Every structure is written in C-alpha cells, then in structure tokens.
C-alpha cells in the first residue's frame, strides 16, 4: 500500500509540474486515440497448481528459471475515445514457449517431473482492459484524470513431456476491477508525456487477486494526427484461486505508433 501511495503522489506531482511548464501553444483537442505498440517485457512467471503440490510440500514452479524462458516482443493495441469522459480499451497477447531438461523434481497439476526428464512449456496470457476515464482537469497543455477499469486476465499454462499421456495444464480467468490516475502534459506542440497508474487488491473467502499496472511514455507527433510513441510498462498480477497460485510480472520498454483524431 505504501508503494501505491508513493506512486500516486509522484504521478500527481509530475503531471502538475509538466502542465505548469508546458507552452501555451500545445494542443489537447483530440477526441480519440489509437496505439499500436510492441512491448518487450522481462518476465517473472511463478505458478503453483493442484492440491498435490501443497500435499507433497513441493513449492511453486518458476517457469523462467526452469525452462530458460527468454524475453520476447508482443503486440499491444490501445484505444480511447472521448474528450473529458473517455472509454478505454486495451489488449496484449503474451505467449511463451520453451523446452528444457528438468534440473530438479517439480510437481504441476498432480504430475511429477523428475530430474533429467525432457519437458516443454506453453504459456498463453491474454491481458484485456475495459475502462472509463474522467479528466477532471483538462487544458490545452494537457490533462489530469481518474481511471476505473476492469482488467481481465486469461491464463493458460502447461508442462508437457514424452512420458506423459497428456500435458499438465491449468486455466485461470481473473477479472479484477482497478482504479487509478492518469496525467498528460505537452512539453512542446508535438511532444507529450503521459503517465498512469492503476491497481486494486481483492480478498474473499475463495478468491484473492492483486493487479498493478504502471505506464509512462512519450509521444512525438508529425502534424496533428500521426506520431511515434515509446515508453515503459510494468504489470504485476498475484492471485490465489482454489488450488492455483500465481505470481506474475511483466516489465519492460515498448515502442510503436499513435494516431490521434
């Protein structure tokens, strides 16, 4: 919670400072924005699945360490429409595949993989977001607003081996509502800086989840409508659903194009 408060305060301070320093000629008159981005995150993917895992005392599986998963690049689509009241949409499909020789005995979904066994993994993580944004401060030089979103996570992870009749697989669906803040300032007519942070923690009798999403980026437009964009995004998801536990994190840079209309 302390980290969240510090990030919110830092974001609000940076947004206010950017708005104050930006030239009056900058423009914030667009009613829509479309982003096509290419994200190269550094993954942390730790999963524990199946009641047998807890019963045998074998801890979670670190997929990056066990299978040597390397960084990859994924497309991301973002869309927003509206002036002070905006509808927001985003989607990024995360895919990892790797093969390895098991270096320690692990158990996943009731299947035990012993040292020296060949195995492969397939991880498919779809991150959707549907949201609403209200810019309570909106000027030609930029805006500051609040965000309410539903982050929908669809995770499919499996481990397969020639010794198995079928892969040990888990499927999880974790819809998590989040709230946050966003700020954008124009430091030049054609240059904008945007930062946003959203998150929430849910804890019930049979469901526990945390979702944190931090993003900072800069965009340079050529004319009023088309530009290039680069930034850094970090997504953190922790969940406990039935017998499944996940500790997932993606963080890294992205680059792409932006169209404003």
């Amino acid at each position: 919670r302390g980290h969240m408060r510090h990030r919110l305060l830092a974001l609000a301070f940076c947004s206010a400072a950017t708005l104050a320093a930006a030239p009056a000629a900058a423009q914030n008159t667009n009613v829509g924005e479309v982003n096509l981005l290419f994200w190269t995150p550094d993954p942390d993917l730790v999963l524990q699945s199946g009641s047998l895992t807890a019963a045998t005392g074998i801890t979670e599986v670190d997929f990056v360490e066990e299978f040597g998963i390397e960084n990859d690049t994924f497309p991301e689509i973002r869309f927003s429409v509206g002036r002070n009241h905006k509808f927001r949409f985003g989607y990024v499909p995360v895919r990892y595949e790797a093969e390895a020789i098991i270096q320690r005995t692990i158990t996943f979904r009731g299947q035990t993989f012993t040292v020296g066994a060949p195995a492969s993994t397939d991880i498919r993580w779809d991150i959707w977001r549907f949201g609403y944004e209200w810019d309570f401060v909106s000027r030609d030089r930029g805006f500051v607003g609040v965000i309410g979103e539903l982050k929908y996570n669809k995770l499919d992870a499996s481990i397969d081996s020639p010794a198995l009749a079928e892969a040990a697989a888990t499927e999880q669906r974790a819809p998590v509502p989040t709230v946050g803040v966003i700020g954008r300032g124009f430091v030049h007519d054609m240059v904008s800086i945007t930062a946003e942070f959203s998150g929430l923690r849910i804890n019930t009798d049979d469901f526990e989840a945390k979702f944190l999403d931090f993003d900072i980026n800069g965009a340079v437009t050529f004319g009023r409508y088309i530009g290039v964009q680069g930034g850094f995004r970090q997504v953190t998801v922790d969940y406990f659903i039935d017998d499944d536990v996940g500790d997932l994190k993606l963080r890294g840079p992205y680059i792409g194009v932006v169209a404003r209309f």
Side-chain angles (χ1 to χ4, degrees), residues 83-86 88 132-137 143-148 180 182:
R83 193 174 296 276
N84 296 339
H85 300 273
K86 302 174 182 177
R88 296 159 50 94
Y132 164 77
E133 175 188 332
W134 172 44
D135 298 335
F136 58 87
V137 176
F143 61 81
V144 178
V146 293
I147 305 167
I182 183 172

Side-chain angles (χ1 to χ4, degrees), residues 35-214:
N35 313 78
L36 176 59
L37 309 171
F38 297 92
W39 187 25
T40 308
D42 182 17
D44 287 330
L45 307 169
V46 180
L47 298 171
Q48 178 176 319
S49 183
S51 58
L52 182 60
T53 303
T56 58
I58 299 174
T59 58
E60 67 273 356
V61 179
D62 186 330
F63 280 74
V64 174
E65 179 181 349
E66 299 294 345
F67 293 93
I69 290 177
E70 299 180 350
N71 294 7
D72 204 348
T73 300
F74 311 107
E76 179 178 0
I77 298 173
R78 302 181 188 177
F79 172 76
S80 67
V81 62
R83 193 174 296 276
N84 296 339
H85 300 273
K86 302 174 182 177
F87 168 77
R88 296 159 50 94
F89 168 80
Y91 172 64
V92 52
V94 177
R95 304 287 186 266
Y96 291 109
E97 296 182 2
E99 298 180 353
I101 302 299
I102 299 300
Q103 301 299 311
R104 69 184 183 101
T105 300
I106 60 176
T107 300
F108 190 72
R109 293 303 294 177
Q111 300 285 354
T112 299
F113 301 84
T114 57
V115 175
S120 62
T121 186
D122 184 2
I123 297 177
R124 298 175 177 269
W125 180 11
D126 293 315
I127 306 173
W128 303 80
R129 60 182 182 179
F130 309 89
Y132 164 77
E133 175 188 332
W134 172 44
D135 298 335
F136 58 87
V137 176
S138 182
R139 303 288 187 269
D140 287 345
R141 295 177 296 174
F143 61 81
V144 178
V146 293
I147 305 167
E149 287 189 325
L150 175 68
K151 301 290 199 332
Y152 182 78
N153 296 270
K154 179 177 180 291
L155 176 69
D156 298 323
S158 66
I159 301 177
D160 200 2
S161 175
L164 298 180
E166 60 181 6
T170 181
E171 300 179 2
Q172 287 299 337
R173 309 294 181 263
V176 181
T178 61
V179 294
V181 293
I182 183 172
R184 173 177 294 171
F186 285 83
V187 297
H188 185 274
D189 289 2
M190 298 183 296
V191 181
S192 64
I193 297 176
T194 306
E196 67 175 85
F197 174 77
S198 61
L200 198 67
R201 183 191 299 269
I202 299 175
N203 193 346
T204 65
D205 292 337
D206 55 359
F207 178 83
E208 181 178 343
K210 178 183 74 174
F211 194 109
L212 302 177
D213 193 346
F214 172 75

Side-chain angles (χ1 to χ4, degrees), residues 19 94 96 105 226 251 257:
L19 288 174
V94 177
Y96 291 109
T105 300
I226 303 296
R251 57 183 179 272
V257 294

